[in-house]
Amino acid sequence: MSERVVIIGGDAAGMSAASQARRLKPVGELEIVVFERGHFTSYSACGIPYWVGGQVADRDDLIARTPEEHRARGIDLRLGAEVLEIDVPGTRVRVRDSADDTETWWDYDKLVIATGATPIRPPLPGIDAAGVHGVQTLDDGQALIDTLRRTEGRRAVVVGAGYIGVEMAEAMINRGYEVTMLNRGTEPMATLDPDMGVLIRKAMEGMGIRVIGDTEVTAVRTDDSGRVRAVAADDTEYPADVVVLGIGVRPATDLARSAGLPLGAGGGLLTDMAMRVRGHENIWAGGDCVEVLDLVSGAERHIPLGTHANKHGQIIGSGVGGDYGTFPGVVGTAVSKVCDLEVARTGLREKDAQRAGLQYVTATIESTSRSGYFPGAAPMTVKMLAERRTGRLLGVQIVGREGAGKRIDIAAVALTARMTVEQIAALDLGYAPPFSPVWDPVQVAARKAVSAVRKRG
């Protein structure tokens, strides 16, 4: 007898789970039904800022697999279908079809929740005005591009300075807009320590972006037609023809909360290592709607990244399809780009280490991406945190030009292996003048961190 698995959400985690489950079990043994309330599936949300900014020419370039391709593999994928309720005791979900506005209950044997995350929209006057956009899905990106095409003015205000805010500010500059970024924090990108964030601000200001820090947005001002005309922050108004919210995202877990499923402190679903929702043998969850174990601090955190979502989907699909897999956790690795500046981080910031009760030392160095005499050598700043007593690596942040960003992978592997800075300094890394100095910048930082650990005893 065929089992039915219902999947809520048709992007990275959901469709990866569906595809993996179908590889393991044929149509006659497993019915796979996916409900996606949007109009697209299996796309790169991380690529949306580059599409908006014009570096990616076409929306379809971001789509890895079309709905037709999924259906051809025996996956019943339904677009414009929004799940309104999960009835856990009854093992069923209530679905609204946007095409005819009808609602239907669907039974399931196994359930996968892959609802993703939603842009944070603070409850401010005018926040839902025409011309104000959050950007998380392909539908969001299309809506923003449609607005830009209709808008005659060329003033953009970006609220928030996280990864999305910074990338969208650059996208607006690339489209010829005059851009102002409003940030609650002192420096952009709170995922970095402020002494590294200042490098981002200087680079953005060099691009012509006006960066206003330590400011609190209080309202969005509208004209007589209800369209945005300005953003109020503290005692100042910043004229705006379009507003992009880059404040961050929150897990889309309203459905799960209403169903009584377990949520963590960050609002994400809690799962075991096999991505099964805790306390529920027939329900799995993955992607931006879950919390994951931070292998460095030992805490559970909400870290929305496509890399995690795809891995979650593979593990969930294996479990649904009768196989087995686990997701051990993350070290918090992320990389981004502002114009030609590459920004990367992994592990803990200083405030994370303090929150975890860890005593630590820091080391910050200036180096280059290649041997200094080799053409194209570019400056790079590396900051490293190490545990004071043991020298165990706790975190790394890198800001530099070409060749800087992917060096964070060295640190990510070292963190996962719980290496000390002394061990990192002794690593046998590849060297040739076109690729790095004799001492790679990560190892230069590690050597300085070793000295700091020894000095502090």
Side-chain angles (χ1 to χ4, degrees), residues 78-339:
R78 296 170 179 249
L79 300 178
E82 181 178 8
V83 176
L84 303 176
E85 182 182 352
I86 301 171
D87 177 9
V88 173
T91 62
R92 58 180 188 163
V93 297
R94 180 163 58 91
V95 184
R96 183 179 69 85
D97 188 335
S98 62
D100 55 13
D101 202 30
T102 57
E103 294 184 9
T104 309
W105 283 100
W106 285 74
D107 296 326
Y108 64 80
D109 297 292
K110 299 174 180 178
L111 176 67
V112 176
I113 302 172
T115 45
T118 57
I120 295 172
R121 298 181 77 95
L124 300 175
I127 196 68
D128 294 321
V132 179
H133 292 266
V135 183
Q136 178 69 13
T137 67
L138 215 55
D139 290 282
D140 295 335
Q142 185 64 64
L144 174 58
I145 288 175
D146 291 343
T147 292
L148 296 177
R149 287 171 177 162
R150 294 192 302 263
T151 302
E152 295 182 2
R154 310 300 291 177
R155 299 168 300 182
V157 171
V158 178
V159 180
Y163 283 105
I164 293 297
V166 167
E167 290 171 353
M168 291 308 303
E170 180 182 357
M172 293 295 101
I173 282 285
N174 290 341
R175 293 186 73 102
Y177 277 71
E178 174 188 320
V179 180
T180 300
M181 171 174 279
L182 305 178
N183 182 29
R184 291 180 64 181
T186 303
E187 302 295 349
M189 298 193 75
T191 52
L192 305 179
D193 288 323
D195 57 338
M196 298 293 281
V198 67
L199 304 176
I200 314 302
R201 174 173 56 79
K202 289 179 179 178
M204 295 181 71
E205 290 172 343
M207 294 167 59
I209 298 170
R210 184 184 182 191
V211 182
I212 310 296
D214 293 320
T215 190
E216 187 78 32
V217 172
T218 54
V220 174
R221 307 295 188 201
T222 58
D223 59 22
D224 293 339
S225 69
R227 181 173 181 78
V228 61
R229 64 169 180 80
V231 176
D234 296 331
D235 297 325
T236 306
E237 282 194 1
Y238 299 91
D241 301 298
V242 63
V243 174
V244 180
L245 303 178
I247 303 170
V249 299
R250 64 173 182 82
T253 50
D254 290 344
L255 269 177
R257 180 180 290 105
S258 298
L261 298 177
L263 305 181
L269 276 156
L270 297 177
T271 70
D272 61 19
M273 292 182 68
M275 304 309 299
R276 187 181 280 108
V277 174
R278 293 180 191 173
H280 297 271
E281 288 296 313
N282 64 335
I283 303 178
W284 288 258
D288 292 354
C289 65
V290 305
E291 296 190 9
V292 294
L293 175 65
D294 185 320
L295 296 175
V296 186
S297 69
E300 285 168 329
R301 298 171 54 198
H302 178 238
I303 306 179
L305 284 174
T307 51
H308 302 169
N310 279 282
K311 292 170 187 172
H312 295 168
Q314 287 287 308
I315 293 160
I316 292 169
S318 295
V320 167
D323 204 345
Y324 176 69
T326 61
F327 185 77
V330 303
V331 293
T333 308
V335 63
S336 188
K337 179 176 171 292
V338 185
C339 193

Side-chain angles (χ1 to χ4, degrees), residues 384 386 390-393 410-411 413-429 439 442-451 453-454:
M384 187 169 286
T390 66
R392 176 172 68 100
L393 181 66
I410 301 171
V413 173
L415 279 169
T416 304
R418 297 181 66 85
M419 294 176 67
T420 66
V421 288
E422 190 166 8
Q423 289 172 320
I424 296 168
L427 284 173
D428 184 15
L429 301 182
W439 283 92
V442 173
Q443 291 183 299
V444 175
R447 291 177 63 187
K448 188 172 182 179
V450 168
S451 297
V453 169
R454 290 174 177 171

